[in-house]
Amino acid sequence: MKPWEANIRRVVPYVPGEQPKGSGIVKLNTNENPYPPAPGVRRTLKELSIEDLRKYPDPTAGALTGCLADYYQVRPDQVFVGVGSDDVLAMAFLAFFNSGKPIIFPDISYSFYKVWAELFGIPYETAPLDEEFLIRPEDYYRENGGVIFPNPNAPTGLLMSLEQVEDVISHNQDVIVIVDEAYIDFGGRSALELLERYENLLIVQTFSKARSMAGMRIGFAIGGRELIKLLQDVKYSFNSYTMNLPSLVLGTEAVRDEKYFRDTINRIVDTRERTKRRLQGLGFSFPDSMSNFIFAAHEKASASELFEALKKEGIYVRYFRQPRLENYLRITIGTDEEMEKLFAFLESYLGNMA
Ligand SMILES: *Cc1c(COP(=O)(O)O)cnc(C)c1O
């Protein structure tokens, strides 16, 4: 062993889904939106000039935070933006989880939580989902250093009611509770309405899923002024200019077009509900997803074999080689046309098995 090796921080990194290149690929593996960003985003992108890139962007990200504050009817000093919600969540871990006591999150959940906890040396415990993959609020009643969970949860797609979310928050008023609402727009009720009552609540959302802008990297947190100020302090201690100019300008355009946002979500939700019926007919079972993906297991087919067979066909879905998850595939809702390609392949694959 070389002497410097004793001083290295070793981490097991998060593994993002593949981004395959090439035409004809049906990409249902990273929960991206199959529809393009709002027309105003396209227009504004064309109007960006090379001169705009010469100067530093606005470090306060004022236009974007102001626009989000209007949209969600909070004050601008209650909004914090970052480079995707991954960036916002990482800063929240740094800012809020310093008690030395273990933080709690579900055992089956967004796998980045564990990675950040390990990267930042934050102790953690996981709370197992029940047999039906549901989060049990009682598991979060014990003493802890903070709580985080996605609602809807990933990769199950299951939504907790607002009453259950409040139950967790009200039992944890000594610590910060982060609700990761990456998929809330696909059918859930946001915890935003609880903000008035709980100063320990932080809600994190993203432009990557419902707003069709994963490539732009925009995420945000909404919370009380105090929490937002603490996040700003961490950001300014790290990198004053996390948000580049195109994301500030294009993100603002995306928020302005509420009609496009709602229409796109409705299309995805319609396709999701049709997909549920089709998959059921093909012998799949799944938790009742309220997100833009379905976590499905087949009564006969092995998920890992099906995953490989789909990939050979250019159809990418997500497979997690993990206890309790190894029989499932996480299938992102694409366009109707993309889903038809998936169904056609599944029909022939499962037909040949019989
Ligand atoms: C996609 C996702 C995120 C991160 O999205 P960004 O692209 O970094 O905004 C965070 N949490 C969950 C649960 C997600 O699925």
Side-chain angles (χ1 to χ4, degrees):
M1 191 162 122
K2 299 177 206 95
W4 53 262
E5 283 190 78
N7 308 324
I8 296 301
R9 184 190 298 264
R10 289 189 196 278
V11 286
V12 181
Y14 174 77
V15 184
E18 281 178 81
Q19 292 292 347
K21 298 243 164 20
S23 59
I25 282 171
V26 176
K27 195 170 173 305
L28 308 175
N29 68 334
T30 52
N31 297 344
E32 288 140 338
N33 196 310
Y35 301 110
V41 175
R42 184 192 304 264
R43 220 177 306 121
T44 311
L45 178 62
K46 285 195 186 134
E47 286 163 9
L48 275 178
S49 105
I50 191 79
E51 179 62 15
D52 295 332
L53 303 185
R54 185 175 58 80
K55 289 188 289 182
Y56 281 108
D58 171 12
T60 71
L64 182 58
T65 48
C67 181
L68 284 166
D70 283 348
Y71 185 87
Y72 291 103
Q73 301 187 340
V74 293
R75 296 165 32 153
D77 57 8
Q78 291 184 273
V79 184
F80 176 81
V81 294
V83 187
S85 52
D86 287 341
D87 182 50
V88 175
L89 288 165
M91 290 199 205
F93 271 54
L94 269 177
F96 303 132
F97 295 158
N98 296 296
S99 69
K101 290 181 206 156
I103 62 167
I104 315 182
F105 47 82
D107 65 339
I108 295 171
S109 190
Y110 189 38
S111 49
F112 229 136
Y113 302 154
K114 185 174 152 211
V115 175
W116 288 314
E118 285 179 357
L119 177 63
F120 300 141
I122 300 166
Y124 65 90
E125 285 170 5
T126 57
L129 302 184
D130 75 8
E131 322 74 65
E132 296 184 307
F133 284 148
L134 291 162
I135 291 176
R136 288 180 296 219
E138 317 84 80
D139 291 347
Y140 299 79
Y141 291 178
R142 60 182 191 249
E143 195 182 359
N144 63 69
V147 171
I148 178 163
F149 57 91
N151 194 39
N153 196 10
T156 62
L158 284 171
L159 180 75
M160 272 166 101
S161 70
L162 199 58
E163 289 69 34
Q164 288 176 306
V165 171
E166 179 164 11
D167 188 16
V168 174
I169 301 165
S170 68
H171 279 87
N172 285 284
Q173 298 190 54
D174 298 343
V175 296
I176 303 301
V177 177
I178 303 177
V179 184
D180 179 352
E181 294 189 336
Y183 303 102
I184 197 71
D185 297 310
F186 298 106
R189 194 157 143 209
S190 171
L192 277 169
E193 59 194 278
L194 302 178
L195 274 178
E196 273 172 37
R197 263 174 291 153
Y198 300 97
E199 60 175 23
N200 62 318
L201 168 62
L202 189 79
I203 294 157
V204 176
Q205 295 193 5
T206 177
F207 282 50
S208 299
K209 304 344 192 311
R211 292 193 186 273
S212 303
M213 292 178 80
M216 216 56 243
R217 312 303 301 127
I218 307 172
F220 60 97
I222 300 185
R225 286 165 59 192
E226 246 180 299
L227 296 196
I228 297 305
K229 171 71 169 65
L230 292 163
L231 281 174
Q232 305 283 16
D233 290 347
V234 168
K235 179 194 108 157
Y236 284 114
S237 310
F238 196 79
N239 175 0
S240 308
Y241 304 102
T242 51
M243 304 302 287
N244 64 55
L245 182 124
S247 12
L248 291 175
V249 177
L250 302 177
T252 306
E253 278 309 317
V255 180
R256 284 201 181 122
D257 197 339
E258 172 156 20
K259 181 172 184 305
Y260 182 85
F261 178 54
R262 293 286 155 214
D263 288 350
T264 309
I265 290 168
N266 289 339
R267 284 168 84 177
I268 292 170
V269 169
D270 285 349
T271 307
R272 178 186 74 203
E273 295 308 310
R274 265 198 300 281
T275 301
K276 286 179 186 172
R277 293 192 288 273
R278 292 290 287 272
L279 289 177
Q280 215 157 22
L282 287 164
F284 285 92
S285 54
F286 40 84
D288 192 23
S289 170
M290 287 302 239
S291 63
N292 69 337
F293 56 84
I294 294 175
F295 196 53
H298 192 263
E299 56 196 3
K300 296 205 193 78
S302 135
S304 72
E305 286 170 22
L306 181 51
F307 169 75
E308 294 299 340
L310 282 163
K311 193 158 148 173
K312 267 202 199 113
E313 206 62 21
I315 303 173
Y316 285 72
V317 298
R318 194 86 196 259
Y319 178 65
F320 300 95
R321 214 169 292 280
Q322 255 183 63
R324 286 185 77 188
L325 308 186
E326 63 273 84
N327 293 326
Y328 288 83
L329 296 176
R330 193 195 66 190
I331 305 166
T332 304
I333 303 302
T335 60
D336 285 325
E337 199 188 347
E338 288 174 317
M339 300 320 278
E340 285 305 328
K341 286 187 187 158
L342 170 74
F343 301 142
F345 177 79
L346 290 176
E347 270 159 23
S348 91
Y349 180 90
L350 298 168
N352 289 339
M353 264 182 71

